[in-house]
Amino acid sequence: MAFDGRRRVVIEGVAPEIDGGLFPIKRARGEPVSVEADIFVDGHEVISCVLLFRLEQDKDWRETPMQSLVNDRWRGMFVAAEVGRYFYSLAGWVDRFKSWRRDLQKKADVGEHTELDLQTGALLIDEAAARAAAQDARQLVQAAKTLRAKNPGLSERLARALSDDLLRLMALYPDRSLETRYAKELAVVVDREKARFSAWYEMFPRSCAAKAGKHGTFKDCERLLPYVASMGFDTLYLPPIHPIGRAHRKGKNNQIKTAANDPGSPWAIGAKEGGHQSIHPQLGTLEDFKSLVRQAAALGIEVALDLAYQCSPDHPYVEEHPQWFRWRPDNTVQYAENPPKKYQDIYPLDFTSEQWPELWQELQSVVQFWLEQGVRIFRVDNPHTKPLAFWQWLIGAIKKDHPDVIFLAEAFTRPKVMYRLAKVGFTQSYSYFAWRNSKPEITEYFKELTQTEVREYFRPSLWPNTPDILTEYLQFGGRPAFMIRLVLAATLGANYGIYGPAFELCEARPREPGGEEYLDSEKYEIKHWDRERADSLKELIARINHIRKENPALQNDWSLRFHEVDNEQLLCYTKQTKDLSNVIAVVVNLDPHHVQSGWVKIPVEALRLDPLESYQAHDLLTGARFLWHGARNYVELDPQAIPAHILRLRRRLRREQDFDYFM
Amino acid sequence: MAFDGRRRVVIEGVAPEIDGGLFPIKRARGEPVSVEADIFVDGHEVISCVLLFRLEQDKDWRETPMQSLVNDRWRGMFVAAEVGRYFYSLAGWVDRFKSWRRDLQKKADVGEHTELDLQTGALLIDEAAARAAAQDARQLVQAAKTLRAKNPGLSERLARALSDDLLRLMALYPDRSLETRYAKELAVVVDREKARFSAWYEMFPRSCAAKAGKHGTFKDCERLLPYVASMGFDTLYLPPIHPIGRAHRKGKNNQIKTAANDPGSPWAIGAKEGGHQSIHPQLGTLEDFKSLVRQAAALGIEVALDLAYQCSPDHPYVEEHPQWFRWRPDNTVQYAENPPKKYQDIYPLDFTSEQWPELWQELQSVVQFWLEQGVRIFRVDNPHTKPLAFWQWLIGAIKKDHPDVIFLAEAFTRPKVMYRLAKVGFTQSYSYFAWRNSKPEITEYFKELTQTEVREYFRPSLWPNTPDILTEYLQFGGRPAFMIRLVLAATLGANYGIYGPAFELCEARPREPGGEEYLDSEKYEIKHWDRERADSLKELIARINHIRKENPALQNDWSLRFHEVDNEQLLCYTKQTKDLSNVIAVVVNLDPHHVQSGWVKIPVEALRLDPLESYQAHDLLTGARFLWHGARNYVELDPQAIPAHILRLRRRLRREQDFDYFM
């Protein structure tokens, strides 16, 4: 028998624990890690439990006591105070002193306590004294002596035995020689705050020229930074900025035929000018790019790059590393497909080539290169078409030295694959939000994202549109549809983004009926946008991003709760800070065509609003202040005006006696 | 990079998998093991998956293909054909041939297939040919040749490429060089059938004497075997048969004071005559015991012994191994307590003594001794007051050489502890059944036991009474209450038992109001029962055990489903065999005092009963045959007559044309 059979405490049912501990949970810096477990022992003795935690680089564990809930469930908590990687585990032991004390109390309650009980306790105190620091040891020795003494009387010594002082002192020196340590050390990836709370703006640099018909440059982007900043975005995501292939270059509207001046898709990466570590000459120089990154930073904006691991047929890799591609019997490479989409201008990399280690290393060097240029955020193109093990390796390797790097997975694919990508390391993930429009669809999906284990590793990013996704809802809903989807994205999710200026200008024309591609998509041509158009949503966007910054309730996903409304077109939800100092209720009219009204049901008790008193519902979108009363309140929303309320609920209204002039 | 990054298939979400594979699942011989998992790969290729399984002693894995369900979920199944221990695992691989074939089919559907596609396929066939057996290799070489040939035309060769024959042949020789093997090998403990289906009868041997006032013997037990057999029980469980301590022996009704001829509690094990490997002299000799075991076997009854690891103060261990007990400062041992119960006649063993390895070995030798006497079933007393690791070790060690041994855990304790005992190895477990009386209580509890993961490791045994448990329901419900609880125990659970003859004689007098102890409990005195009393339930018991034996639907727990009745006092549930050849519907009136009636709702579709045709509901308790029609049918039950229906539902009634004389 190699193990010690005397370790009797059992620890099981630990949560969070993703796939038996195979994957870390995620937190942003400063967030709590609350851990629960079933911890128990045979028989009737009292146990004590601690939660252990440490930063990866620390050798020593820190400890925090766990509290007993019900049904042998225990809970402990620590704060993920630093960016990096934490580990946590648990320990529990039979607490002989607490057991003895409980039994003594029971006996005392019925007057059955004896000298023998006190002597038994004294022995436990002796043992603790041997473990204790000098000062405490003296106190303990004294306590043991008192318990054994002939004087004072039994009842007086009993009081000493049961005293809180003695309990506190003994709790410092428990006998943990036979404690059970949970067999696993579970990991937490702690990201910086932006992983939890971010507002992204996607913009094609080549469409940023001041004059129509010109190819935009990084300098043009710099000029537009105040525009982006004025809307309140903190992340500026640029589609690939690399040289674009010429072979099989796509024409306007994804045509196979190209006109002479067609710029091609930025995702067809690589040409004779270079590949993933080069810059498209028409955008400017590497120095220009670095200047953009700096200028953006000065306005509180980070530049995010696109990581699209694929090659145009004239990417330098194709000649230099033909073994990284899968060649067919006719010595061609099958272009990429994502049925029914065909990417004739793109060769996929063969991640299972014989020379996969070299390929993987090269791809890592791409990230490394852009890290050196000051980039810390990557939006990863189609990660679900590359091996999951590759991402686990790559992200793990990068974050080991750069734990502040953020990877956003652009995987619109089957749910298990999306979730696995998050498990293997992606910081944020595009979600199905774009296609969740009705109340039951939204409710069911966001419950899954925010109230199940999924939330421990999958941080959804909510995009109402992307260059690939112009939903039917937006196509047919007009400007109100854009407002509705904007409010939902920005308030259902702490992380969201839009593809602009198509979004703020309510661009809604599809290439073909039933499809989700934009007509005259920016993917295949240079656009010139009128950013100052009167009907632009930029001011609403600015307002909403401002509200997000001012209200910490909107900076997390986990507190989201949906509430009853007696109208299927009205969606109502709340978010709040843990201490309830900031409570936001959002009511959205999901119908872009008609005025809708109904009675919402606010969980006044849970939000600690007095169900019998009035409270203020301050609409942060319009400035209006409503006096609400109790749980049920009336709401009416006109999509032509503004299709939503974003209400800050204030618990107590000022009354006459709150003012100086009262009395 | 130590791992091979080319293994792209991911396997996760495996079920069943108890606590991440820490514990085995359980099956009885012949039961299926159905395994599901999420299995997927990046990208769009087709994968193939197999379920692997083997008996512990076999080196080679067997394989069975898994079927794709929805949402990347796969399922496979094997039968646990032999008693012992099985392992299972999974494997999946990118199936390049199936992927190629699917894509070719898609292209063919729109007329886009090319010679190049066929050449690509021919290469895959070449590779398979190299892996194939001689005969198949020739066929594959021929197929590749056809695909590459100039004649016949493309469409004819396409048909060959897409043929089922080729698919079947290729499926025999997949390229599994880069398959993903699930990292864990999960265990199945396969017990003999009795683990799944058993009817226990508990009987105190000392109360079996033919004449009142006499101490019963094993010979008396032999004489009563036909009585037990006539009721249809297959397991005869005897409380401890060892010498009973004299120190602190308990008197009648658990009194501290003993009269001279008080026999003491059989659970106060050990006296100068011996301990756990000895027999109480008044019961007979070891040879008598072995004779009882043999005689019982001849009647289809197995004798189960009580494994109560505790000692009376005069157990030989106390002198021989004082270190196995925990001594107090006054050189006494604290007697056992299970608050508020006090067992002054019992010393607990100290499983965490310094000499725990010796103690554990000795306790193992106790089981070994009784195995040598032919015992194969043990009812374990209070296992929750001994370390869980001890049971894991003991049961594991015993079942390694004797996989047919059955351990029943008598742990009436907190749910997590009960379930953990099952996980660490107990074959069956007493349950909370005795205290689940109302419809919601029964429904909720049995859903937990039969429709959640719990069923994979916890086999409940349903006891309406035990020598310690005379429920209030039985105290106040009269004879109907006993009938109700009997029907429930025997049909809700495939494993059940009663403590007799107290049960069949409807013994219902408690020692004190509000308590569950029997007045004049058999635990402290020798009883003389009038087994032939006219109001005995023995014939009903016989009838029910007969029904259980005749109807395989009642021999499993997993098929249990509850159904709507428009009367809270009526409980309706069904059980069936997988092929629906045997379908049992039970309706029980839970009210022992009044006639109750209502409409039950039978799930006719799920049971493949024609919702528009009549079907027969044959009451196996009374012999009555009802003609039922559709889902809703009327039921009326008088507890004074018989408070339940046990109905065999027969799908199709015979009609005139089924008889010879028709036409």
Side-chain angles (χ1 to χ4, degrees):
Chain A
M1 282 180 276
F3 77 110
D4 190 330
R6 294 173 301 167
R7 298 186 190 278
R8 289 162 51 206
V9 169
V10 166
I11 303 177
E12 63 173 29
V14 176
E17 180 181 301
I18 310 306
D19 290 7
L22 209 56
F23 299 106
I25 60 166
K26 296 196 178 94
R27 290 293 184 274
R29 174 168 41 200
E31 284 189 313
V33 179
S34 176
V35 180
E36 290 192 8
D38 298 324
I39 313 182
F40 48 84
V41 68
D42 59 279
H44 312 288
E45 280 157 293
V46 179
I47 59 171
S48 289
C49 308
V50 291
L51 174 61
L52 303 154
F53 64 100
R54 65 176 174 89
L55 264 168
E56 185 170 26
Q57 57 269 34
D58 293 346
K59 231 188 92 225
D60 293 333
W61 291 90
R62 277 174 280 174
E63 286 187 358
T64 176
M66 298 184 79
Q67 266 67 48
S68 167
L69 309 173
V70 292
N71 195 12
D72 292 317
R73 195 87 180 143
W74 291 73
R75 183 193 291 148
M77 196 272 281
F78 69 94
V79 171
E82 290 176 54
V83 169
R85 212 177 170 85
Y86 278 78
F87 290 104
Y88 60 95
S89 192
L90 309 99
W93 61 91
V94 173
D95 196 314
R96 286 163 58 212
F97 180 77
K98 284 186 186 161
S99 304
W100 167 82
R101 188 176 184 273
R102 178 204 56 188
D103 292 344
L104 181 63
Q105 182 69 64
K106 275 190 197 168
K107 290 182 176 177
D109 289 346
V110 294
E112 285 189 6
H113 56 289
T114 63
E115 287 289 344
L116 179 56
D117 292 320
L118 294 188
Q119 284 175 42
T120 303
L123 279 177
L124 296 174
I125 299 171
D126 288 346
E127 290 174 28
R131 291 186 292 268
Q135 172 71 18
D136 292 340
R138 272 192 298 277
Q139 281 196 52
L140 288 166
V141 167
Q142 190 52 48
K145 195 177 277 181
T146 304
L147 263 56
R148 285 197 182 93
K150 293 283 173 252
N151 301 299
L154 182 57
S155 68
E156 225 169 300
R157 284 179 289 131
L158 180 72
R160 176 79 181 112
L162 295 174
S163 72
D164 289 343
D165 276 357
L166 182 58
L167 178 63
R168 260 194 303 275
L169 200 56
M170 286 294 288
L172 297 176
Y173 306 102
D175 176 6
R176 292 173 58 175
S177 57
L178 295 177
E179 78 174 10
T180 296
R181 185 63 180 276
Y182 189 54
K184 296 174 190 168
E185 299 184 358
L186 303 165
V188 191
V189 166
V190 183
D191 297 300
R192 55 192 169 114
E193 287 86 338
K194 192 166 224 165
R196 171 174 49 77
F197 176 59
S198 63
W200 292 49
Y201 187 74
E202 175 172 4
M203 182 174 84
F204 282 73
R206 68 187 184 189
S207 295
C208 290
K211 269 175 70 179
K214 281 272 190 188
H215 192 290
T217 65
F218 291 137
K219 288 281 165 234
D220 293 319
C221 294
E222 275 189 28
R223 194 178 37 77
L224 286 175
L225 284 173
Y227 171 79
V228 178
S230 74
M231 286 188 287
F233 290 103
D234 54 48
T235 307
L236 175 62
Y237 149 49
L238 311 178
I241 57 172
H242 315 298
I244 295 172
R246 285 172 190 84
H248 298 285
R249 178 179 284 192
K250 293 293 185 79
K252 274 185 138 199
N253 285 311
N254 198 25
Q255 288 178 90
I256 307 274
K257 253 178 44 190
T258 331
N261 57 349
D262 278 341
S265 160
W267 283 275
I269 294 169
K272 66 173 190 292
E273 295 87 355
H276 286 76
Q277 300 184 29
S278 303
I279 281 179
H280 192 290
Q282 287 180 277
L283 290 173
T285 63
L286 185 59
E287 200 35 63
D288 292 342
F289 174 74
K290 286 160 76 172
S291 167
L292 172 62
V293 170
R294 280 193 304 271
Q295 295 300 318
L299 291 167
I301 295 172
E302 274 189 86
V303 171
L305 282 194
D306 198 308
L307 213 54
Y309 283 140
Q310 55 202 24
C311 300
S312 88
D314 34 345
H315 192 294
Y317 289 164
V318 179
E319 272 212 357
E320 291 165 18
H321 301 283
Q323 64 285 357
W324 290 350
F325 301 87
R326 183 169 289 175
W327 296 88
R328 295 186 294 183
D330 67 343
N331 278 326
T332 61
V333 174
Q334 171 65 54
Y335 56 76
E337 292 180 297
N338 190 359
K341 294 182 184 171
K342 292 179 179 180
Y343 304 98
Q344 292 90 342
D345 52 345
I346 292 174
Y347 281 2
L349 288 159
D350 182 7
F351 283 80
T352 58
S353 109
E354 295 278 331
Q355 298 192 16
W356 64 273
E358 294 78 8
L359 171 63
W360 290 25
Q361 291 292 354
E362 169 65 19
L363 298 179
Q364 183 186 353
S365 78
V366 171
V367 179
Q368 207 64 50
F369 176 81
W370 293 107
L371 288 178
E372 282 154 22
Q373 315 316 318
V375 176
R376 282 292 177 280
I377 308 185
F378 298 91
R379 176 269 195 195
V380 179
D381 191 71
N382 279 333
H384 58 292
T385 61
K386 288 97 195 169
L388 289 141
F390 166 71
W391 296 117
Q392 187 162 11
W393 170 82
L394 177 76
I395 298 174
I398 296 295
K399 294 200 73 155
K400 202 171 163 57
D401 296 326
H402 305 279
D404 59 335
V405 176
I406 288 173
F407 292 92
L408 166 63
E410 187 246 10
F412 293 110
T413 184
R414 288 124 56 214
K416 301 282 169 65
V417 181
M418 284 177 73
Y419 287 152
R420 180 84 178 196
L421 284 164
K423 288 180 194 171
V424 302
F426 279 93
T427 324
Q428 300 182 350
S429 308
Y430 282 73
S431 65
Y432 298 138
F433 166 72
W435 302 280
R436 297 293 180 272
N437 293 298
S438 70
K439 181 146 82 175
E441 282 169 357
I442 292 172
T443 307
E444 190 193 356
Y445 185 48
F446 282 89
K447 278 187 182 173
E448 176 176 325
L449 295 182
T450 62
Q451 292 175 38
T452 71
E453 190 190 68
V454 165
R455 71 183 191 178
E456 299 286 351
Y457 55 84
F458 183 88
R459 289 198 195 95
S461 184
L462 281 53
W463 291 69
N465 75 331
T466 77
D468 297 309
I469 301 169
L470 171 65
T471 63
E472 295 199 306
Y473 188 89
L474 292 179
Q475 290 173 34
F476 300 121
R479 195 167 178 270
F482 283 81
M483 292 196 282
I484 291 165
R485 298 302 295 176
L486 174 69
V487 171
L488 290 172
T491 59
L492 281 171
N495 294 303
Y496 90 110
I498 59 169
Y499 151 54
F503 191 86
E504 61 264 31
L505 297 178
C506 302
E507 179 55 52
R509 291 164 305 153
R511 191 158 75 214
E512 55 201 19
E516 293 200 326
E517 287 283 341
Y518 281 92
L519 177 67
D520 302 332
S521 167
E522 201 163 4
K523 288 192 290 183
Y524 310 106
E525 60 189 275
I526 293 167
K527 307 282 277 189
H528 186 72
W529 301 97
D530 177 6
R531 294 182 175 79
E532 300 307 319
R533 241 169 54 196
D535 64 346
S536 168
L537 293 174
K538 66 183 159 67
E539 270 150 42
L540 179 65
I541 294 168
R543 180 99 213 123
I544 290 174
N545 279 331
H546 178 75
I547 293 169
R548 283 166 47 93
K549 278 180 199 153
E550 294 286 301
N551 289 278
L554 295 174
Q555 297 169 13
N556 74 75
D557 284 339
W558 289 23
S559 70
L560 178 69
R561 292 293 179 280
F562 294 94
H563 309 296
E564 214 180 297
V565 196
D566 59 354
N567 178 336
E568 267 307 279
Q569 296 288 359
L570 292 181
L571 180 71
C572 174
Y573 48 93
T574 52
K575 280 184 159 185
Q576 65 273 335
T577 53
K578 221 177 174 90
D579 64 0
L580 297 183
S581 63
N582 187 246
V583 178
I584 298 292
V586 181
V587 189
V588 185
N589 177 0
L590 301 175
D591 175 2
H593 304 292
H594 307 98
V595 176
Q596 297 284 352
S597 62
W599 291 82
V600 302
K601 198 172 160 192
I602 298 292
V604 281
E605 275 88 1
L607 298 174
R608 276 192 261 130
L609 298 166
D610 190 327
L612 303 175
E613 292 257 6
S614 293
Y615 53 95
Q616 197 188 71
H618 177 193
D619 191 339
L620 305 175
L621 277 177
T622 62
R625 289 169 195 258
F626 305 98
L627 204 61
W628 277 13
H629 192 92
R632 283 169 56 80
N633 289 281
Y634 179 79
V635 166
E636 183 178 301
L637 288 164
D638 180 353
Q640 292 301 326
I642 180 101
H645 290 309
I646 302 179
L647 303 160
R648 173 144 189 217
L649 303 184
R650 285 199 175 82
R651 222 171 301 165
R652 193 171 175 283
L653 298 180
R654 281 183 295 182
R655 296 168 166 271
E656 60 276 27
Q657 60 266 42
D658 296 327
F659 296 92
D660 287 344
Y661 45 79
F662 185 77
M663 277 185 52
Chain B
M1 281 178 276
F3 77 110
D4 191 329
R6 295 172 302 168
R7 297 186 191 279
R8 289 162 52 207
V9 169
V10 166
I11 303 176
E12 63 172 29
V14 176
E17 179 182 301
I18 309 306
D19 290 8
L22 208 56
F23 299 107
I25 61 167
K26 297 197 178 95
R27 291 293 184 273
R29 173 166 45 200
E31 284 188 312
V33 179
S34 177
V35 180
E36 290 192 7
D38 299 324
I39 314 183
F40 49 85
V41 69
D42 59 279
H44 313 287
E45 281 157 292
V46 179
I47 59 171
S48 289
C49 309
V50 291
L51 174 62
L52 303 155
F53 63 99
R54 65 176 174 88
L55 264 168
E56 183 169 28
Q57 57 269 34
D58 292 347
K59 230 189 92 224
D60 294 331
W61 291 90
R62 277 174 281 174
E63 287 187 358
T64 176
M66 298 183 80
Q67 265 67 48
S68 166
L69 308 173
V70 291
N71 194 13
D72 292 316
R73 195 86 182 144
W74 292 72
R75 183 193 292 147
M77 196 271 281
F78 69 94
V79 170
E82 290 176 57
V83 170
R85 213 177 169 85
Y86 279 79
F87 290 104
Y88 59 97
S89 192
L90 310 99
W93 61 93
V94 173
D95 197 313
R96 286 164 59 211
F97 180 78
K98 283 185 187 161
S99 303
W100 167 83
R101 186 177 186 272
R102 179 203 56 188
D103 292 344
L104 181 64
Q105 182 69 63
K106 276 190 195 168
K107 290 181 176 179
D109 289 346
V110 293
E112 285 188 7
H113 55 288
T114 64
E115 286 289 346
L116 180 56
D117 292 321
L118 294 189
Q119 284 174 41
T120 304
L123 280 178
L124 296 174
I125 299 170
D126 289 345
E127 290 175 28
R131 290 185 292 267
Q135 171 71 17
D136 292 341
R138 275 193 294 278
Q139 282 195 52
L140 287 166
V141 167
Q142 191 53 48
K145 196 177 276 180
T146 305
L147 263 56
R148 284 196 182 94
K150 293 285 172 252
N151 301 298
L154 183 57
S155 68
E156 226 168 298
R157 284 179 289 130
L158 180 73
R160 177 79 181 111
L162 296 173
S163 71
D164 288 344
D165 275 358
L166 183 58
L167 178 63
R168 259 194 303 275
L169 201 54
M170 286 294 288
L172 297 176
Y173 306 102
D175 176 7
R176 292 173 58 174
S177 57
L178 295 177
E179 78 174 11
T180 296
R181 185 62 181 278
Y182 188 55
K184 297 173 190 169
E185 298 184 357
L186 302 165
V188 191
V189 166
V190 183
D191 297 299
R192 55 191 169 115
E193 287 86 338
K194 191 166 224 165
R196 171 175 49 77
F197 176 60
S198 62
W200 292 50
Y201 187 75
E202 176 173 2
M203 184 175 84
F204 282 74
R206 69 187 183 190
S207 296
C208 291
K211 269 176 68 178
K214 280 272 189 189
H215 193 289
T217 65
F218 291 136
K219 288 280 164 232
D220 293 319
C221 293
E222 276 189 29
R223 195 180 34 80
L224 285 175
L225 283 173
Y227 170 79
V228 177
S230 75
M231 286 188 286
F233 291 103
D234 53 49
T235 307
L236 175 62
Y237 149 50
L238 310 178
I241 58 172
H242 317 298
I244 295 172
R246 284 173 190 84
H248 298 285
R249 178 178 283 192
K250 292 293 185 81
K252 275 187 138 199
N253 285 311
N254 198 26
Q255 288 178 92
I256 305 273
K257 254 178 45 191
T258 331
N261 57 348
D262 279 339
S265 161
W267 284 274
I269 296 171
K272 66 172 191 292
E273 296 85 355
H276 286 74
Q277 300 184 31
S278 303
I279 281 178
H280 191 290
Q282 287 180 277
L283 290 173
T285 64
L286 185 59
E287 201 35 63
D288 293 342
F289 174 73
K290 287 159 77 171
S291 165
L292 171 63
V293 170
R294 280 193 304 271
Q295 295 300 318
L299 291 167
I301 296 172
E302 276 187 86
V303 171
L305 282 194
D306 199 309
L307 213 54
Y309 283 141
Q310 57 203 22
C311 300
S312 86
D314 36 344
H315 193 294
Y317 288 164
V318 180
E319 274 213 354
E320 291 165 19
H321 301 281
Q323 64 284 358
W324 291 350
F325 302 86
R326 182 169 289 174
W327 296 89
R328 295 186 292 182
D330 67 343
N331 279 325
T332 62
V333 173
Q334 171 66 54
Y335 55 76
E337 291 180 296
N338 191 0
K341 293 181 183 171
K342 293 179 178 180
Y343 303 99
Q344 292 90 342
D345 52 345
I346 292 174
Y347 280 3
L349 287 159
D350 181 7
F351 283 79
T352 57
S353 109
E354 295 279 330
Q355 300 194 15
W356 63 273
E358 294 77 8
L359 171 63
W360 290 24
Q361 291 292 354
E362 169 65 18
L363 298 180
Q364 183 186 353
S365 78
V366 171
V367 178
Q368 207 65 49
F369 176 83
W370 293 106
L371 287 178
E372 282 154 22
Q373 316 315 319
V375 176
R376 282 293 177 279
I377 308 184
F378 297 91
R379 175 270 195 195
V380 179
D381 190 71
N382 279 331
H384 58 292
T385 60
K386 288 95 192 172
L388 288 140
F390 166 71
W391 296 117
Q392 188 162 10
W393 169 82
L394 176 76
I395 297 174
I398 295 296
K399 292 200 73 153
K400 201 170 164 58
D401 297 325
H402 305 280
D404 60 332
V405 176
I406 289 173
F407 292 91
L408 166 63
E410 187 246 9
F412 293 109
T413 183
R414 289 124 53 213
K416 301 283 169 63
V417 180
M418 283 177 73
Y419 287 153
R420 179 84 178 197
L421 284 162
K423 289 181 193 171
V424 303
F426 279 93
T427 324
Q428 300 181 351
S429 308
Y430 283 73
S431 65
Y432 298 138
F433 165 73
W435 301 281
R436 298 293 180 272
N437 293 297
S438 71
K439 182 147 79 173
E441 283 169 356
I442 292 172
T443 307
E444 190 193 357
Y445 185 49
F446 281 89
K447 278 187 181 173
E448 176 176 324
L449 294 182
T450 62
Q451 293 174 38
T452 71
E453 190 190 68
V454 165
R455 71 183 190 178
E456 299 286 351
Y457 55 84
F458 184 88
R459 290 200 194 93
S461 184
L462 280 53
W463 291 69
N465 75 331
T466 77
D468 297 309
I469 302 169
L470 172 64
T471 64
E472 294 198 308
Y473 188 89
L474 293 178
Q475 290 174 35
F476 299 121
R479 195 169 178 270
F482 282 81
M483 291 195 281
I484 291 165
R485 298 302 296 176
L486 174 69
V487 171
L488 290 172
T491 60
L492 283 170
N495 293 303
Y496 90 109
I498 59 171
Y499 152 53
F503 190 86
E504 62 263 32
L505 297 178
C506 303
E507 178 56 50
R509 291 164 304 151
R511 191 159 74 214
E512 55 201 19
E516 293 199 326
E517 287 282 342
Y518 281 92
L519 179 66
D520 303 332
S521 167
E522 202 164 3
K523 289 191 290 183
Y524 311 105
E525 61 190 274
I526 294 167
K527 307 283 278 189
H528 186 72
W529 301 97
D530 177 5
R531 294 181 176 79
E532 300 306 320
R533 241 168 55 196
D535 65 347
S536 169
L537 293 175
K538 67 183 159 68
E539 271 150 42
L540 179 65
I541 293 168
R543 180 96 213 126
I544 289 175
N545 279 330
H546 179 75
I547 293 169
R548 283 166 48 93
K549 277 179 199 152
E550 294 286 302
N551 290 278
L554 295 175
Q555 297 168 14
N556 74 74
D557 283 339
W558 289 23
S559 71
L560 178 68
R561 292 294 179 279
F562 294 94
H563 310 296
E564 215 180 296
V565 194
D566 59 355
N567 179 334
E568 268 306 279
Q569 296 288 358
L570 291 180
L571 180 72
C572 173
Y573 48 93
T574 52
K575 280 184 158 186
Q576 64 273 335
T577 53
K578 220 176 174 90
D579 64 358
L580 297 182
S581 64
N582 187 245
V583 178
I584 299 292
V586 180
V587 189
V588 184
N589 178 0
L590 301 175
D591 174 1
H593 304 292
H594 308 98
V595 176
Q596 296 284 353
S597 63
W599 291 82
V600 302
K601 197 173 161 193
I602 298 292
V604 281
E605 277 87 0
L607 298 174
R608 276 192 260 130
L609 297 165
D610 190 326
L612 304 175
E613 293 257 5
S614 293
Y615 53 94
Q616 196 188 72
H618 177 192
D619 191 340
L620 305 175
L621 276 177
T622 62
R625 289 168 196 258
F626 305 99
L627 204 60
W628 277 13
H629 192 91
R632 284 167 56 81
N633 290 281
Y634 179 79
V635 166
E636 183 178 302
L637 289 164
D638 179 355
Q640 293 301 328
I642 180 102
H645 289 310
I646 302 179
L647 302 159
R648 172 143 190 217
L649 303 185
R650 286 201 174 80
R651 223 172 298 168
R652 193 173 177 282
L653 298 180
R654 281 185 296 183
R655 295 167 166 274
E656 60 277 28
Q657 61 265 41
D658 297 327
F659 295 92
D660 287 344
Y661 44 81
F662 185 76
M663 276 186 54

